[in-house]
Amino acid sequence: MRLSFVDPQTPAPVTNLRLEPAEDRSFQTRAIWGQRDDAYFDLKTRMHRGLIERMTLSGLDRRPPDQVRAEVSELVIAMLQEDAHPLNADELRRLNADLMDELLGYGPLEPLLRDPEISDILVNTAKEVYVDRRGRIEPTTVRFSDEQHLLRVIERIVDKVGRRIDESQPMVDARLPDGSRVNAVVPPIAVDGALLSIRRFARVPYDLPRLVANGTISSPTADLLSGLVKARLNILISGGTGTGKTTLLNAMSEALGEDERIVTIEDAAELQLQQHHVVRMETRPSNIEGRGEVTQRELVKNSLRMRPDRIIVGEVRAGEAFDMLQAMNTGHDGSMTTVHANTPRDALTRLEQMIGMAGVDVSTRSMRAQIASAIQIVIQLKRFSDGARRLVSLQEIEGMEGDVITMQELMRFEQTHIDEAGRVHGRFGWTGIRPRFFETFRTCGLHVPTVLAGPAE
Ligand SMILES: Nc1ncnc2c1ncn2[C@@H]1O[C@H](COP(=O)(O)OP(=O)(O)OP(=O)(O)O)[C@@H](O)[C@H]1O
Ligand SMILES: [Mg+2]
């Protein structure tokens, strides 16, 4: 059906036009990206401006969406008639849905936010939006009308968490209602225009079986990881940016006992632990006068007074590493954290540097000794050229030899080849070294996985 609002011979039955609610349109995103539709984009921008002029915007968020939708579609039909712009029913539906996104949601980002395959949305000024889809970065045709439009969306996000962003405070971390992590940077720090990075998480958090199913780990490794958590070993998950450190930490947390009191400490609360007895703490940046900052370090220290059974630090970045290791060495075993590093050895070096940031006077040797006795397991994650994330190495810290921390690799992923479609193939293999923790497994009555090798896919 084609509804023409311009042809005087066939006046459109505008009053009877029923518009469907803006349902989940994630399936449409690809189609929308496929066609860079400038005329539509201009029309939408005009209509959006028109709505802003004609509607009472204050309190819009609090009104029933159906009521707003009805008002929007009525106004849109009236404006289209004035605008003399013909649209078919599909186009009209899309226009209404997009305008609802503008008024009640995050505008052009909404279709991307609804797409479950997208893990990161990267807005590089109003004119460029990239996404990370299944581990690979790709451009989209999504864009904002202008810098003001992008700033309005950023303000809407930041506003919701009670923060503000402007020239005097040009960088903000925030969170969307669905838990996505947001970072926004505006001029003058952002040189070419505002920047926005959104890290999304799987709607249904990954658990270990799902990570087995998508080839991140093998099934025996999943059993082993659960065992490591149950045996209360201290675990460090290492990986580059976006390699799935937080996701694996979250998945492994399923093995934590329901009867344990778990304290989580994060810069931006991302973990979605399923246990009941979880208390969560989040750092706070300083306010505009430079006061009120609460650091991870303070939170780690504070957590020790909260009778924790386990302490989970989302990611160690600085001096809190010192306090975390001390806690691990003084009876708070079974703690877990992640670190940004490309190899297990690098992860230990990073920890050393971070202890240095704590400003305590310890020799390199005693720093290393502290690391070696605090941490038992280092897990390395990697993102491959095909976008897949995998656990590529599992190492056990043995102890010290002279000044050096010694580790033994128990399991690794070996890449065999890349097929024509660019997919990486390989297998998870057990090195045959007998881990020291097997004794702990036995004393805890935990099953020792016998077959620790399995195909990668
Ligand atoms: N094994 C996996 N398989 C598929 N998708 C994954 C996997 N691990 C993580 N992801 C997805 O990749 C994105 C990044 O994951 P995550 O936040 O866990 O990475 P990270 O290493 O903690 O990143 P950062 O360095 O930013 O802290 C998320 O959207 C997540 O859902
Ligand atoms: Mg993370």
Side-chain angles (χ1 to χ4, degrees), residues 20-28 69 93 97 114:
E20 284 162 30
E23 75 283 14
D24 187 326
R25 291 172 303 126
S26 54
F27 66 93
Q28 285 187 7
R69 192 171 289 122
R93 205 173 293 127
R114 279 192 282 258

Side-chain angles (χ1 to χ4, degrees), residues 119 181 199-200 206 211 214 216 242-247 389:
S119 60
R181 191 178 79 191
R199 157 65 49 79
R200 303 185 56 233
Y206 278 97
L211 293 178
N214 78 1
T216 305
T243 47
K245 302 182 291 295
T246 306
T247 302
R389 290 139 172 125

